[in-house]
Amino acid sequence: MKMTLPSGSHSTALFCVLCVSALLIFCAVSGCTSSTAPENATLTRVSATDVIIPVEDTSSITYTSSMQKGGTPTGIMEGLVVKNRNGKFDPALAESWNVSDDARTWTFHLVKNATWNDGVPFTCADVKFTNDYMKKNNLTMGYVLKDVQSIDCPNDNTAVFHLKTSYSFFLDQISRQPGLSISPKHIWENVTDPQHYQDSQFIGTGPFVYVQTAPGYVQLKRNDNYYGKVPEVTGIVLKTISNADSQVLALKNGEIDVVTDLTPAVAQSLVGDKNISVYSINDTGAYEVAFNTAQYPANISAFRHAMSHAVDRETISSIFGTGRPTDTTFLIPSLAGDYVNPADTGMYDYNLTKAQEMLVAAGFTKNSDGKLIGPDGKPVSVTIPLGSKGGSGNQKVIAVLKNDWGSLGIPVTTVSYDDQTQYRKAVNQYPVFIDAFPVTLHDDPDALGNFAVTPLQETNYYNYNNIEYNALVAQLRNTTDPAEIMKIGYRMQDILAQDVPTVPAVTTDTLVAYRNDRFTGWDVGPGFHSITDPRVLENLTPVQST
């Protein structure tokens, strides 16, 4: 995938969806876990075929464990299946699988020659243990398997998942972010306090093995005993370079091999360097103007409808500098394909005159000072909470809203929270927030369950609750017929277009530059979501080995 660079962009660094800079990079180490070597630790000699990738701060790699703070780890730990950019599921620790007609029993046939990094064979016992242990100890990542009633092991190479209810998209649940990674039973069964345990071994089954964390570095080496495709690169070094400009300079000097999350202007400046190639990973992030339907004035359906026409996607997209406006209800066409209901595209056309007319029809008026007065007789204002993660991208969206919503008589202010827990509470207290979603949550009808209220999901970020919609989610989980899934998904998108719990704004891309005199293969296939995706790292070919 080669890049077409936009011209005249003033974009700053893009929000790293799928945690390209933070979560996925420290997940590349060990599933969001780490240990720190003694201060006098030294990095072993770096081979010419080791890949050097810059990170902002290796201290961010220090987490309790993959089961407590995880995600889907990259490179060291693995799950059962992996979803690719075409919506298909690729084997990982499960080489094949089948599902019962009622979508309640999922049988995974495990690979027969996988071993943990310490040589212990991988078996179904590890799969069952991961589920049972996370739930018994109330570990954070246990929610990924909330639908699982139990797991049986008829033999070492077969894992049978019994679900509480039918779930036709169960593979999605265990493969998309944060996903499920399997942990080694023989290591974790001896951990008595997993809530606070600091993993120092990082034993996994993946194509890379943890070596050490030293000041300024994290080092992995190739797993020569890997059951799958053994990488050609001999290892990975994550090197601390906190400044974006310094990362680019290090790339030019040949000190590192790749840089991600470039601004369009910087990417353009690198195009003429014969030793550097630039490409785009398309559709890596999605931003939406979301409503808390329980808070005034967003609890008024007509207000949400009016404001859906006051989101200038073209301008927002130009500020980001990459990507394109999103005119669908939730699903992204390039990822969800035919699952996108064509009748619901372009539903939220940008038209401030229409927005003003709809506000008047809903009982809103403007006073002599140009301020919008609500049906309660009070001036309308909107405060949007900002969290520590994704703040830069959110502020780009808000900058455009401030101008357009201000012209409608609605002043827009922001309030910031460094603590993510406090930020989530704030989202429940204010009428509008900016939703920055990984695109893996926009790629099929199961993602539409994000707006549902079900016995297993008692609320959602939008406080949205539509009885018909909830029933459709239940139907969706209970069918494996593709035609019926599409029909149900289309109706769900119709309802979202009518109720407007969120207004999609822009889908963004990630710009990457790499040393073509060091490795080829970064821009593999349609492009995976991150440069630390193991399928990318496994595809790299050293240009020279001396």
Side-chain angles (χ1 to χ4, degrees), residues 250-422:
L251 181 74
K252 290 182 176 180
N253 293 338
E255 299 169 20
I256 59 176
D257 298 316
V258 64
V259 174
T260 189
D261 300 313
L262 298 172
T263 67
V266 170
Q268 185 67 61
S269 72
L270 295 172
V271 168
D273 192 315
K274 68 177 183 178
N275 294 322
I276 295 176
S277 296
V278 181
Y279 72 100
S280 175
I281 308 175
N282 290 341
D283 297 329
T284 53
Y287 288 82
E288 301 164 351
V289 179
F291 296 105
N292 180 348
T293 62
Q295 294 290 340
Y296 177 85
N299 62 336
I300 302 174
S301 176
F303 174 82
R304 302 196 302 271
H305 271 273
M307 303 314 292
S308 72
H309 298 289
V311 178
D312 186 353
R313 293 165 190 74
E314 293 289 347
T315 298
I316 292 172
S317 180
S318 68
I319 292 177
F320 275 94
T322 67
R324 60 219 49 83
T326 306
D327 64 353
T328 55
T329 55
F330 191 70
L331 301 182
I332 297 174
S334 65
L335 300 176
D338 292 341
Y339 284 131
V340 175
N341 187 345
D344 295 323
T345 57
M347 291 293 294
Y348 316 115
D349 60 300
Y350 173 62
N351 190 324
L352 291 179
T353 300
K354 181 187 293 187
Q356 180 68 59
E357 293 172 349
M358 294 177 73
L359 287 170
V360 171
F364 293 82
T365 59
K366 268 190 177 182
N367 64 14
S368 58
D369 295 328
K371 294 182 179 179
L372 189 71
I373 307 300
D376 61 354
K378 299 178 181 179
V380 176
S381 63
V382 169
T383 298
I384 300 177
L386 287 171
S388 59
K389 298 179 179 179
S392 173
N394 290 359
Q395 290 180 30
K396 293 174 185 177
V397 177
I398 292 171
V400 178
L401 296 184
K402 282 184 176 181
N403 181 63
D404 288 333
W405 292 17
S407 71
L408 295 173
I410 306 173
V412 176
T413 58
T414 61
V415 57
S416 298
Y417 297 87
D418 291 331
D419 182 82
Q420 201 66 8
T421 300
Q422 292 299 318

Side-chain angles (χ1 to χ4, degrees), residues 53-123:
I53 301 174
V55 296
E56 292 184 359
D57 182 7
T58 55
S59 67
S60 65
I61 297 168
T62 305
Y63 273 73
T64 54
S65 73
S66 59
M67 287 197 279
Q68 181 69 343
K69 296 282 189 178
T72 302
T74 299
I76 292 181
M77 302 185 72
E78 298 180 295
L80 297 174
V81 297
V82 179
K83 191 172 186 179
N84 64 34
R85 291 275 296 193
N86 296 320
K88 305 298 183 181
F89 294 96
D90 295 329
L93 286 173
E95 60 185 11
S96 63
W97 50 88
N98 52 275
V99 58
S100 62
D101 290 341
D102 63 0
R104 291 190 63 173
T105 302
W106 291 78
T107 301
F108 294 91
H109 305 284
L110 309 178
V111 293
K112 298 179 177 62
N113 56 342
T115 60
W116 297 99
N117 299 151
D118 56 4
V120 175
F122 160 76
T123 70

Side-chain angles (χ1 to χ4, degrees), residues 101-104 106 146-148 163-170 173 446 449 452 454-457 470-480 485 488 492:
D101 290 341
D102 63 0
R104 291 190 63 173
W106 291 78
K146 64 183 183 298
D147 301 279
V148 178
L163 306 190
K164 298 173 183 177
T165 61
S166 299
Y167 193 2
S168 59
F169 283 89
F170 181 61
Q173 178 70 7
D446 185 54
T454 69
L456 296 176
Q457 179 178 298
N470 298 338
L472 289 170
V473 170
Q475 291 180 35
L476 190 69
R477 293 173 64 101
N478 279 275
T479 182
T480 57
I485 288 173
I488 295 170
M492 293 169 72

Side-chain angles (χ1 to χ4, degrees), residues 241-252 256 259 262-263 266:
I241 305 178
S242 57
N243 181 273
D245 291 337
S246 297
Q247 291 185 1
V248 173
L249 181 60
L251 181 74
K252 290 182 176 180
I256 59 176
V259 174
L262 298 172
T263 67
V266 170

Side-chain angles (χ1 to χ4, degrees), residues 160-188:
V160 182
F161 284 64
H162 302 283
L163 306 190
K164 298 173 183 177
T165 61
S166 299
Y167 193 2
S168 59
F169 283 89
F170 181 61
L171 293 182
D172 260 17
Q173 178 70 7
I174 62 174
S175 64
R176 70 187 178 201
Q177 186 183 6
L180 167 69
S181 61
I182 306 303
S183 297
K185 178 179 184 293
H186 67 284
I187 299 293
W188 284 93

Side-chain angles (χ1 to χ4, degrees), residues 458-532:
E458 297 178 357
T459 187
N460 52 68
Y461 290 143
Y462 316 89
N463 284 309
Y464 176 67
N465 193 352
N466 179 297
I467 295 176
E468 181 188 357
Y469 194 91
N470 298 338
L472 289 170
V473 170
Q475 291 180 35
L476 190 69
R477 293 173 64 101
N478 279 275
T479 182
T480 57
D481 177 45
E484 185 65 17
I485 288 173
M486 183 172 293
K487 178 181 178 181
I488 295 170
Y490 275 23
R491 177 55 187 155
M492 293 169 72
Q493 292 170 73
D494 287 341
I495 295 174
L496 291 179
Q498 295 165 11
D499 291 350
V500 198
T502 190
V503 182
V506 63
T507 305
T508 59
D509 305 331
T510 296
L511 301 179
V512 181
Y514 66 92
R515 297 285 308 199
N516 55 40
D517 57 346
R518 288 275 295 143
F519 299 95
T520 60
W522 288 103
D523 48 350
V524 55
F528 294 101
H529 299 293
S530 164
I531 60 171
T532 55

